[in-house]
Amino acid sequence: MAVISYIEAVTQALDEEMSRDQNVFVMGEDVGKRGGVFQATKGLYEKYGENRVIDTPLAESAIAGVGIGAAMYGMRPVAEMQFSDFMLPAANQIISEAAKTRYRSNNEWTVPITIRAPFGGGVHGGLYHSQSMEAIFANVPGLKIVIPSTPYDVKGLLKASIRDNDPVIFFEHKRAYRLIKGEVPEDDYVLPLGKADIKREGRDVTVITYGLMVHDVLQAAEKLEKEGISVHLLDLRTVYPLDKDAIIEAARKTGKVLLMTEDNKEGSVISEVAAIIAENCLFDLDAPIRRLAAPDVPAMPYAHPLEQAFMVKPEQVEKEIRDLAEF
Amino acid sequence: MAVISYIEAVTQALDEEMSRDQNVFVMGEDVGKRGGVFQATKGLYEKYGENRVIDTPLAESAIAGVGIGAAMYGMRPVAEMQFSDFMLPAANQIISEAAKTRYRSNNEWTVPITIRAPFGGGVHGGLYHSQSMEAIFANVPGLKIVIPSTPYDVKGLLKASIRDNDPVIFFEHKRAYRLIKGEVPEDDYVLPLGKADIKREGRDVTVITYGLMVHDVLQAAEKLEKEGISVHLLDLRTVYPLDKDAIIEAARKTGKVLLMTEDNKEGSVISEVAAIIAENCLFDLDAPIRRLAAPDVPAMPYAHPLEQAFMVKPEQVEKEIRDLAEF
Amino acid sequence: MIRESSSTTQVKNRHRELGLSDQDVLNMYTQMLKARRVDERLWLLNRAGKIPFVVSCQGQEAAQVGAAFALNQKKDYVAPYYRDFGFVFAWGMTVKELMLNNFAKAEDPNSGGRQMPGHFGYRKLRMLSHSSPVTTQNPHAVGIALAAKLKGDDVVSFVTFGEGSSNQGDFHEAANFASVFKLPVIFLCENNHYAISVSLKRQLACAHVSDRATGYGMPGKTFDGNDPLAAYAAVKEAADRAHRGEGPTLLEADGYRLMPHTSDDNDLSYRTKKEVEDAKKRDGVLTFADYLRAIGILDEVTEEKLEEQIRKEIDEATDYAEHAPFATADTVFRYVYEDKD
Amino acid sequence: MIRESSSTTQVKNRHRELGLSDQDVLNMYTQMLKARRVDERLWLLNRAGKIPFVVSCQGQEAAQVGAAFALNQKKDYVAPYYRDFGFVFAWGMTVKELMLNNFAKAEDPNSGGRQMPGHFGYRKLRMLSHSSPVTTQNPHAVGIALAAKLKGDDVVSFVTFGEGSSNQGDFHEAANFASVFKLPVIFLCENNHYAISVSLKRQLACAHVSDRATGYGMPGKTFDGNDPLAAYAAVKEAADRAHRGEGPTLLEADGYRLMPHTSDDNDLSYRTKKEVEDAKKRDGVLTFADYLRAIGILDEVTEEKLEEQIRKEIDEATDYAEHAPFATADTVFRYVYEDKD
Ligand SMILES: Cc1ncc(C[n+]2csc(CCOP(=O)(O)OP(=O)(O)O)c2C)c(N)n1
Ligand SMILES: Cc1ncc(C[n+]2csc(CCOP(=O)(O)OP(=O)(O)O)c2C)c(N)n1
Ligand SMILES: [Mg+2]
Ligand SMILES: [Mg+2]
């Protein structure tokens, strides 16, 4: 199996789906000639032409809204938002339209669109090129929100998202793009949406997280293993709607739970995870739930020391797990 | 003390602040001549003229964005979004701009705007005139989100919001407008933002909620009192950032907690409340946390039986409290 | 059957030169009248407490019906907005279906009673699902046109919206997108001079909504919204352009909203009775009937028959809709996502 | 002091008729040159690994500086966008401050290093805080104008943005709002023919961004973005209109982006070297120098002195900024809300 990067898995998934299904096309700012500002659509313009890899005007609400219309016609648009921070002009189209069309039309009209957006920080992007936007959409029935952590998951989940008959927001961690590599089968496979994945079996402490943080935890777990602390790691993969059963099972597994997100703490996706656990397995817990998240300040500043101060650090991860293990 | 309705308290607060401070002005769709589609700004156009009660074009992003600009100049705009459902075109201005201006300018520029919006259901408004939108904004540092439950709170909190030097989203429950009446002092007073309020002291079960549901709980509590069940009721009032101390104290008070919202359950404001409790007072709980909320379907449909099916019913409230009491 | 109008009529025959037969224009008038009478009935039903809410089409039927007749009813995609009774009738929705919509019953083909009245959507008729936040349908219509173009389908995508709504960002972004890609879209703004209480001058500073076309490099045209033939001609020309691959057109029907914004509105708080009365003199339903009479297509007998037939249809539809069942409570959970079972 | 240009010059004196003295135009040129040289230095610093990111003004200095000179620097409010080095220098920001901004140091008056470079904002100079999502500043500028009007202050509100950004809904909504209320706003679109990789024709279907003015009922004008005098004249006229209470104006500087979009971009993936070389021949910094030379205001000595002076200023500023402290980690928590203590 080839070892490829997270972003290569994105490109591969797009390429495979485009060649598999004529209805799949890509649209967004600079996705064509330029191959995307991160190069996620690299080579697709050359391969599929300007009709299927469409450079759009600079207007996110139109990208989403036109994509929705095309999806209603029976196409499977994959719309790129250049940075997740810039999805907000499209919030109305995504929340009022894409998410609600099936419901409001009593199942007559459907919107099989995939909206891809790079998110996350640690890339010196400042306030508006580092944000986690998932919480804003994670209270909107009708949407699915996928956040993969590995190249393998990227490919399988992106392909599944494109084939899904409902709108999917697919957040890609921009720092993972080139940092994270992994084995990815060359052939066609899909992974189920809505299912969390156990990334590591363990006995002492359960960590539930998603995105790039999965790797922080894996690293910490290696280290802690040597101290005799065994970490169980659940990767949410779909952050809305959440995989309740998997969360409950993972929490019960060790009775000690650490929830992690790169997002601001209050009102984040892990708040809902905490609520699910508090509702369903309170008496299985041996320690209070812990959350490790970014501080409740707007986003990470540009200056390096400030960016660092904002981000969750590996030492913190280890410390939280250790504290829980010792609780 | 005069007994006035919830909406009269809105109008009174606006009127008082406008006469107190020349920098306060009102803007929005139909707020002028028409006095607002709900009549919240009734009489203000006649009293303050078209320069201070501004009928704007039909464009929410402009209403928010122009309001932000005016606020940066030193004014205190009170912008009305006709229905909270229609705030989404302004999501970018609210989240990227209003919320982050102080932070990004290192405290140089500030945005003392108040954005008022009627929310909530049970008014035969269908999918797009019934929604609770607070969760979408309740992960955005820099914003404050206020949701009052009584005319007294409306007046004190709206006046405080207008005087606050940061952006405040002020959600008014549209079914409460004429339904809820209460005593309101004629003179000037403000209530603190960011502080929850105990609406009822009790011993057996703690209910934490906000908005119109506060009244559902008060009614249930009366009834349950006769059965010997004593309900402690905390009204969040500010749903972002939450009053952590008050939440923890209220949860500890009885050790049994019911959280309620009219919003879809997953990813709602009460998820964060649950997380705070699970983090801070797990061992004080005698029962798992319960949440009573709307189902995770887009919003309440228009047809009466469907609207009813969506909404939390008084019997459910009683049952949940009773179950907890008996736990 | 009606006789072809004689060439000795005093009034100039305006429809023949548009390629419309006498039967065509009588059909047009029938749809306009039907929309008007249904609307009037809805207000009665509302006042009788039978339906909680009315959104009204009165004053805009002419433009709506004229537009519908100019499109290909077998192939084109349409995204009508909440006032488009005339349009949806001419497009194939029945009075019964519209009544089911207004009574919010399970059988309503638009949303099964989930949405408020006037939120149209009918897959069978290639009519997109409409929501409440205004102007969101504009980019959808552009997306339909983009998809059709990508698939090589010769389809025109037609969308309507109010003049107040033309101030939303989505109008701008959609128009620009359509024009950059030369997509077969017809944007029809139904300018009724009010957005709830706010009059035209407070909404736009340009003379005509169609002036905005220049900024998108597309043709723009304003026509008399009370004249279905003007609407027909304008939409036909735009459709022809679209079919020729020349891209989108921005049209504006200059009309007037004769009734309050909705049954929740009190329009005399922001306009005078006199203004409304003056507008009624230009009412397209009346003036088009005058034209048909003058040209000899409509006489008292035909008119009475028409009214009678429409009345009967409305009576039956109302009766049916009133007694039809609501969707059951358990269905509230359905269709959030695809039912996989 | 420089001598007033003699009337015997071959070239027509274009600045005198605009009311600009020789000293004025030399000042203009100085600001343009300063912006250019600072920009060049930033690319060097980036390549040397000293700063992680550059966003460039090259090719747009002429329009920026001409505009700044036409406004009232004591009273007007401005919302420049990320390429506006020429503008912010002419408006009073120092090279040191811009370097602090690029090194993201605590002393940066724009954001104390919190934002990426080029996200201007300077309260003291009535310069609004700029964010990354494009075009959000347009409604802010309108809000400033509305507030000033409500307070009776005679203030002009000036805002800039790119041609790609003119496709955002916020452009449309802001322009419409300003015109409906006849607010004193100047919208200046710096059309550099690219929005990252997407060229003008894929962004807009109209000939000029200024064509959009018609749709807002305001005057629109395109001028040569390489000519600071054209910019000056256009902005001055717009400012005069604004002061007279006649409302907003949409201006467009027709220019070109000489460098890649940012230091993260590879512009040769979407345009040719030749196209860039051709554009360089029209470069305003060169052509304006030619004018000044032709008219006798700029000679070799002055030029050398200027360059020397600017180089020194940049050296000192760079040195200062490079060694200035970052904001400390603990400050990351500050200023989310008002500090009440
Ligand atoms: C985004 C949004 N904002 C506000 C509303 C409330 N609203 C419904 S209709 C309307 C006026 C629409 O005016 P116009 O576009 O002229 O259409 P008309 O109703 O006159 O046909 C308003 C403000 C809405 N539905 N959507
Ligand atoms: C809302 C939004 N979408 C996307 C981006 C990413 N982006 C930054 S600059 C830019 C191109 C801007 O082009 P233009 O408006 O012509 O300005 P220019 O950079 O050419 O001066 C894009 C797409 C952004 N900053 N904001
Ligand atoms: Mg209207
Ligand atoms: Mg550009």
Side-chain angles (χ1 to χ4, degrees):
Chain A
M1 234 182 321
V3 171
I4 63 175
S5 66
Y6 189 100
I7 195 167
E8 283 166 342
V10 173
T11 317
Q12 202 175 104
L14 292 172
D15 189 1
E16 288 182 18
E17 290 306 297
M18 288 183 78
S19 74
R20 198 184 144 265
D21 181 353
Q22 283 293 317
N23 292 324
V24 177
F25 71 97
V26 163
M27 66 191 293
E29 294 156 11
D30 307 292
V31 298
K33 274 192 192 168
R34 181 85 185 82
V37 294
F38 290 100
Q39 304 285 284
T41 53
K42 191 177 164 182
L44 300 180
Y45 181 86
E46 291 72 18
K47 185 163 175 186
Y48 299 102
E50 63 169 7
N51 279 337
R52 294 186 65 201
V53 187
I54 304 177
D55 273 327
T56 66
L58 176 40
E60 285 76 11
S61 189
I63 294 171
V66 171
I68 289 167
M72 289 197 275
Y73 194 84
M75 306 295 284
R76 296 195 172 270
V78 184
E80 177 175 305
M81 299 281 152
Q82 197 159 84
F83 285 82
S84 67
D85 315 64
F86 305 143
M87 300 172 73
L88 289 175
N92 192 38
Q93 283 291 344
I94 296 170
I95 296 174
S96 299
E97 302 300 318
K100 296 182 176 59
T101 296
R102 182 189 290 278
Y103 193 80
R104 76 178 185 227
S105 70
N106 213 16
N107 214 31
E108 287 277 291
W109 288 99
T110 58
V111 183
I113 192 176
T114 303
I115 298 177
R116 295 180 39 245
F119 84 107
V123 298
H124 232 71
L127 297 178
Y128 297 97
H129 297 78
S130 306
Q131 290 174 87
S132 296
M133 304 301 278
E134 62 275 13
I136 288 173
F137 300 96
N139 173 249
V140 181
L143 293 182
K144 295 174 185 171
I145 308 177
V146 176
I147 308 187
S149 64
T150 67
Y152 177 79
D153 287 357
V154 164
K155 182 171 168 185
L157 291 169
L158 182 51
K159 286 164 72 92
S161 299
I162 293 171
R163 294 184 205 176
D164 195 83
N165 287 328
D166 288 303
V168 178
I169 302 181
F170 194 88
F171 285 117
E172 300 159 9
H173 200 292
K174 67 177 87 74
R175 203 160 92 89
Y177 271 156
R178 300 198 146 72
L179 185 69
I180 304 300
K181 298 191 169 63
E183 292 200 330
V184 175
E186 263 116 88
D187 49 320
D188 182 41
Y189 66 96
V190 289
L191 296 172
L193 304 186
K195 293 280 170 226
D197 184 48
I198 298 167
K199 282 286 186 305
R200 191 179 201 284
E201 292 277 355
R203 294 170 317 272
D204 300 324
V205 175
T206 296
V207 182
I208 306 182
T209 187
Y210 57 97
L212 187 57
M213 279 195 156
V214 165
H215 300 279
D216 297 335
V217 178
L218 285 172
Q219 268 176 27
E222 287 296 305
K223 213 165 149 186
L224 291 163
E225 188 75 52
K226 291 176 196 130
E227 302 177 17
I229 299 171
S230 164
V231 175
H232 188 75
L233 170 59
L234 187 73
D235 178 359
L236 291 170
R237 291 209 300 206
T238 294
V239 300
Y240 187 86
L242 284 167
D243 185 350
K244 265 178 75 166
D245 294 340
I247 290 167
I248 292 168
E249 198 184 313
R252 288 211 173 112
K253 181 87 196 277
T254 68
K256 293 176 172 183
V257 183
L258 172 65
L259 309 177
M260 284 171 53
T261 180
E262 235 188 87
D263 194 4
N264 313 111
K265 182 174 181 181
E266 182 165 350
S268 63
V269 160
I270 58 167
S271 309
E272 177 63 33
V273 178
I276 290 171
I277 297 171
E279 260 182 338
N280 292 283
C281 33
L282 183 90
F283 296 122
D284 303 304
L285 295 188
D286 302 316
I289 292 172
R290 296 217 179 191
R291 288 187 290 169
L292 189 53
D296 288 316
V297 314
M300 54 191 87
Y302 176 70
H304 190 67
L306 298 178
E307 185 181 66
Q308 286 304 306
F310 180 95
M311 290 178 70
V312 170
K313 277 152 285 291
E315 310 82 71
Q316 286 175 281
V317 181
E318 289 165 33
K319 182 180 178 311
E320 290 289 332
I321 298 175
R322 213 177 275 123
D323 284 359
L324 269 176
E326 288 162 10
F327 192 89
Chain B
M1 234 183 323
V3 170
I4 63 174
S5 67
Y6 188 100
I7 194 167
E8 283 165 342
V10 172
T11 316
Q12 200 174 107
L14 292 172
D15 190 0
E16 288 183 16
E17 290 306 299
M18 288 183 79
S19 74
R20 200 184 143 266
D21 181 353
Q22 283 293 317
N23 292 324
V24 177
F25 71 98
V26 163
M27 65 189 296
E29 294 157 11
D30 307 292
V31 297
K33 273 192 191 167
R34 181 85 184 82
V37 294
F38 290 100
Q39 304 285 283
T41 53
K42 190 175 163 185
L44 301 180
Y45 181 84
E46 291 72 18
K47 185 163 175 185
Y48 298 102
E50 63 168 8
N51 279 337
R52 293 186 65 200
V53 186
I54 304 177
D55 274 327
T56 66
L58 176 39
E60 285 77 10
S61 189
I63 294 171
V66 171
I68 290 167
M72 289 198 274
Y73 194 83
M75 306 295 282
R76 298 196 170 268
V78 183
E80 177 176 304
M81 299 280 153
Q82 198 160 84
F83 285 83
S84 67
D85 315 64
F86 305 144
M87 299 172 74
L88 289 174
N92 192 37
Q93 283 291 345
I94 296 171
I95 296 175
S96 299
E97 303 300 318
K100 295 182 175 60
T101 297
R102 182 189 290 278
Y103 193 79
R104 77 178 186 227
S105 70
N106 214 15
N107 214 30
E108 286 278 291
W109 288 99
T110 59
V111 183
I113 192 176
T114 303
I115 298 177
R116 294 180 39 246
F119 84 106
V123 297
H124 231 71
L127 297 178
Y128 297 98
H129 298 79
S130 306
Q131 290 174 86
S132 297
M133 304 301 277
E134 62 275 13
I136 290 175
F137 300 96
N139 173 249
V140 181
L143 292 182
K144 295 174 186 171
I145 309 177
V146 176
I147 308 187
S149 64
T150 66
Y152 176 79
D153 286 357
V154 165
K155 181 171 167 184
L157 291 169
L158 182 50
K159 286 164 72 90
S161 300
I162 294 171
R163 295 185 204 174
D164 195 83
N165 287 328
D166 287 303
V168 177
I169 301 181
F170 194 87
F171 286 117
E172 300 159 9
H173 199 293
K174 66 176 88 73
R175 203 160 92 88
Y177 271 157
R178 299 196 148 71
L179 186 68
I180 304 301
K181 296 191 170 61
E183 292 200 330
V184 175
E186 263 117 87
D187 50 317
D188 182 42
Y189 66 95
V190 291
L191 296 171
L193 304 185
K195 293 281 169 224
D197 184 46
I198 298 167
K199 282 286 188 302
R200 193 181 200 284
E201 291 279 355
R203 294 171 316 274
D204 300 324
V205 175
T206 296
V207 183
I208 305 182
T209 187
Y210 57 98
L212 188 56
M213 280 194 156
V214 165
H215 301 279
D216 297 336
V217 179
L218 285 173
Q219 268 176 27
E222 289 295 305
K223 213 166 150 183
L224 291 162
E225 187 76 50
K226 292 176 197 131
E227 301 178 20
I229 298 171
S230 162
V231 175
H232 188 76
L233 169 59
L234 187 73
D235 177 0
L236 291 170
R237 292 208 301 205
T238 293
V239 300
Y240 187 87
L242 285 167
D243 184 350
K244 265 178 74 166
D245 294 340
I247 290 167
I248 293 168
E249 197 183 313
R252 289 209 173 118
K253 181 88 195 278
T254 68
K256 294 176 172 183
V257 183
L258 172 64
L259 309 178
M260 284 172 52
T261 180
E262 237 189 85
D263 194 5
N264 312 112
K265 183 175 180 179
E266 183 166 349
S268 62
V269 160
I270 59 167
S271 309
E272 177 63 33
V273 178
I276 290 171
I277 297 172
E279 260 182 338
N280 293 283
C281 33
L282 183 89
F283 297 121
D284 304 305
L285 295 187
D286 302 315
I289 291 172
R290 296 217 178 190
R291 287 187 290 168
L292 189 53
D296 288 316
V297 313
M300 53 192 88
Y302 177 69
H304 190 67
L306 298 177
E307 184 181 69
Q308 286 304 306
F310 180 95
M311 288 178 71
V312 171
K313 277 154 286 290
E315 310 82 72
Q316 286 175 281
V317 181
E318 288 165 34
K319 183 181 177 310
E320 290 290 332
I321 297 176
R322 214 178 274 121
D323 284 1
L324 269 176
E326 287 161 11
F327 192 90
Chain C
M1 279 311 306
I2 51 154
R3 67 190 160 78
E4 284 295 304
S5 54
S6 83
S7 53
T8 56
T9 325
Q10 302 289 320
V11 170
K12 182 166 168 276
N13 185 316
R14 293 172 53 233
H15 61 272
R16 204 181 292 152
E17 64 198 32
L18 292 171
L20 291 167
S21 71
D22 289 1
Q23 185 63 51
D24 288 337
V25 285
L26 193 63
N27 289 347
M28 274 186 179
Y29 178 66
T30 306
Q31 300 298 352
M32 287 167 59
L33 193 67
K34 200 200 289 177
R36 174 63 56 90
R37 296 294 176 250
V38 166
D39 197 291
E40 289 166 350
R41 181 68 60 91
L42 292 176
W43 286 91
L44 291 177
L45 289 166
N46 177 253
R47 278 174 198 142
K50 298 212 168 181
I51 56 173
F53 181 79
V54 182
V55 60
S56 172
C57 72
Q58 292 189 44
Q60 301 177 215
E61 301 91 339
Q64 294 165 358
V65 171
F69 272 72
L71 297 168
N72 183 333
Q73 308 211 357
K74 294 274 167 294
K75 289 171 66 183
D76 293 342
Y77 277 66
V78 298
Y81 92 125
Y82 47 85
R83 296 199 192 283
D84 273 324
F85 295 8
F87 187 90
V88 301
F89 285 148
W91 201 254
M93 196 178 290
T94 66
V95 175
K96 186 166 118 180
E97 289 169 334
L98 195 108
M99 278 299 172
L100 284 161
N101 175 252
N102 275 275
F103 278 93
K105 295 301 174 72
E107 251 187 285
D108 162 30
N110 296 285
S111 75
R114 290 179 167 204
Q115 291 217 78
M116 295 181 87
H119 289 58
F120 299 117
Y122 204 154
R123 176 112 207 201
K124 194 179 76 180
L125 301 178
R126 295 166 318 291
M127 184 185 291
L128 305 190
S129 167
H130 186 62
S131 65
S132 304
V134 298
T135 335
T136 50
Q137 70 272 25
N138 289 35
H140 302 170
V142 176
I144 292 288
L146 176 70
K149 191 174 171 178
L150 295 181
K151 303 281 265 186
D153 300 342
D154 182 25
V155 157
V156 168
S157 181
F158 171 82
V159 61
T160 62
F161 52 96
E163 82 292 346
S165 302
S166 81
N167 295 321
Q168 287 280 342
D170 268 5
F171 163 80
H172 176 70
E173 298 192 8
N176 182 61
F177 196 109
S179 197
V180 164
F181 292 95
K182 280 197 175 302
L183 299 177
V185 186
I186 303 174
F187 298 96
L188 172 58
C189 179
E190 299 187 23
N191 179 354
N192 61 12
H193 289 241
Y194 283 91
I196 310 190
S197 71
V198 183
S199 69
L200 190 54
K201 268 194 304 217
R202 260 284 162 109
Q203 288 289 348
L204 304 95
C206 51
H208 302 288
V209 175
S210 63
D211 291 344
R212 299 195 156 165
T214 318
Y216 310 113
M218 65 170 90
K221 185 174 180 163
T222 300
F223 60 81
D224 177 0
N226 283 308
D227 180 3
L229 298 179
Y232 176 87
V235 174
K236 189 102 190 71
E237 192 188 339
D240 290 345
R241 279 195 78 232
H243 286 298
R244 288 195 305 267
E246 292 170 17
T249 304
L250 174 60
L251 298 176
E252 174 185 18
D254 187 20
Y256 193 81
R257 194 191 76 213
L258 295 176
M259 299 296 284
H261 174 67
T262 65
S263 51
D264 290 343
D265 185 30
N266 167 16
D267 62 328
L268 295 184
S269 66
Y270 53 82
R271 65 181 181 182
T272 63
K273 214 170 181 121
K274 177 165 184 318
E275 186 186 299
V276 181
E277 292 309 323
D278 286 349
K280 281 191 177 156
K281 292 176 197 144
R282 298 184 299 273
D283 177 355
V285 176
L286 304 185
T287 54
F288 196 53
D290 286 344
Y291 169 77
L292 296 180
R293 269 182 226 113
I295 215 152
I297 295 179
L298 194 66
D299 55 24
E300 259 178 52
V301 181
T302 324
E303 220 166 326
E304 257 172 47
K305 251 177 48 194
L306 248 184
E307 290 278 9
E308 175 53 28
Q309 180 190 311
I310 289 173
R311 193 178 322 116
K312 219 179 127 222
E313 195 177 351
I314 297 177
D315 287 345
E316 286 171 11
T318 307
D319 193 55
Y320 184 92
E322 193 175 350
H323 297 100
F326 282 112
T328 52
D330 58 299
T331 63
V332 81
F333 302 102
R334 300 201 69 178
Y335 311 135
V336 181
Y337 301 100
E338 184 178 21
D339 273 351
K340 295 242 161 97
D341 36 64
Chain D
M1 280 312 306
I2 51 154
R3 67 190 160 79
E4 286 293 306
S5 54
S6 84
S7 52
T8 57
T9 326
Q10 303 288 320
V11 170
K12 182 166 166 283
N13 185 315
R14 294 173 52 235
H15 61 272
R16 205 180 293 151
E17 64 197 33
L18 292 171
L20 291 167
S21 70
D22 290 2
Q23 184 64 51
D24 288 337
V25 287
L26 192 62
N27 289 348
M28 276 187 176
Y29 178 66
T30 306
Q31 300 298 350
M32 287 167 59
L33 193 67
K34 201 201 286 179
R36 174 64 54 90
R37 296 295 176 250
V38 166
D39 196 293
E40 289 166 351
R41 180 67 61 89
L42 291 176
W43 287 91
L44 292 177
L45 289 167
N46 176 253
R47 280 174 195 142
K50 299 212 169 183
I51 56 173
F53 180 79
V54 183
V55 60
S56 172
C57 72
Q58 292 189 44
Q60 301 177 216
E61 301 91 338
Q64 295 165 358
V65 171
F69 272 71
L71 297 168
N72 183 334
Q73 308 211 355
K74 293 276 169 291
K75 288 171 68 182
D76 292 343
Y77 277 66
V78 298
Y81 90 126
Y82 47 85
R83 295 200 193 282
D84 273 324
F85 295 8
F87 187 89
V88 301
F89 285 148
W91 201 253
M93 196 179 290
T94 65
V95 175
K96 186 167 117 181
E97 289 168 334
L98 195 110
M99 279 297 172
L100 285 161
N101 175 252
N102 274 275
F103 278 92
K105 296 302 176 71
E107 250 186 286
D108 162 29
N110 297 284
S111 75
R114 290 178 166 203
Q115 291 216 78
M116 295 181 86
H119 289 58
F120 300 119
Y122 204 153
R123 178 112 206 203
K124 191 178 78 182
L125 301 177
R126 292 166 287 28
M127 185 185 291
L128 304 191
S129 166
H130 186 61
S131 65
S132 304
V134 297
T135 336
T136 50
Q137 71 272 24
N138 288 35
H140 302 172
V142 177
I144 291 288
L146 176 69
K149 193 174 170 180
L150 295 182
K151 303 280 266 186
D153 300 343
D154 183 25
V155 157
V156 168
S157 181
F158 172 83
V159 60
T160 62
F161 51 97
E163 81 293 346
S165 303
S166 81
N167 294 321
Q168 288 280 341
D170 268 5
F171 164 79
H172 177 71
E173 298 192 8
N176 182 61
F177 196 109
S179 196
V180 164
F181 292 95
K182 281 200 175 302
L183 300 178
V185 186
I186 302 173
F187 298 97
L188 172 59
C189 179
E190 299 188 23
N191 179 355
N192 60 13
H193 290 241
Y194 283 90
I196 308 191
S197 71
V198 183
S199 70
L200 190 54
K201 267 194 305 217
R202 261 284 163 108
Q203 289 289 349
L204 302 97
C206 51
H208 300 289
V209 176
S210 62
D211 291 344
R212 299 195 156 164
T214 318
Y216 310 112
M218 64 170 90
K221 185 174 181 164
T222 300
F223 60 82
D224 177 0
N226 284 308
D227 180 4
L229 298 180
Y232 177 86
V235 175
K236 189 101 189 74
E237 193 188 337
D240 289 346
R241 278 195 80 233
H243 286 298
R244 288 195 304 267
E246 292 169 17
T249 303
L250 174 59
L251 299 176
E252 174 185 18
D254 187 20
Y256 193 81
R257 193 191 74 213
L258 295 176
M259 300 296 284
H261 173 67
T262 65
S263 51
D264 290 343
D265 185 31
N266 168 16
D267 61 328
L268 294 183
S269 66
Y270 54 82
R271 65 180 181 182
T272 62
K273 216 173 179 116
K274 175 161 184 325
E275 185 185 300
V276 181
E277 292 309 322
D278 286 349
K280 281 192 177 157
K281 290 175 198 146
R282 296 185 300 274
D283 178 356
V285 176
L286 304 184
T287 54
F288 196 52
D290 286 344
Y291 168 77
L292 296 180
R293 268 182 227 112
I295 213 153
I297 294 179
L298 194 66
D299 56 25
E300 259 179 53
V301 181
T302 323
E303 222 167 326
E304 255 172 48
K305 249 176 52 194
L306 248 185
E307 290 278 11
E308 175 54 29
Q309 181 190 311
I310 288 173
R311 191 178 323 116
K312 220 180 125 220
E313 196 178 349
I314 297 177
D315 287 345
E316 285 172 11
T318 307
D319 193 56
Y320 183 92
E322 193 175 350
H323 297 100
F326 282 112
T328 52
D330 58 299
T331 64
V332 81
F333 302 103
R334 301 202 69 180
Y335 312 135
V336 180
Y337 302 100
E338 185 179 21
D339 273 352
K340 294 243 163 96
D341 37 64

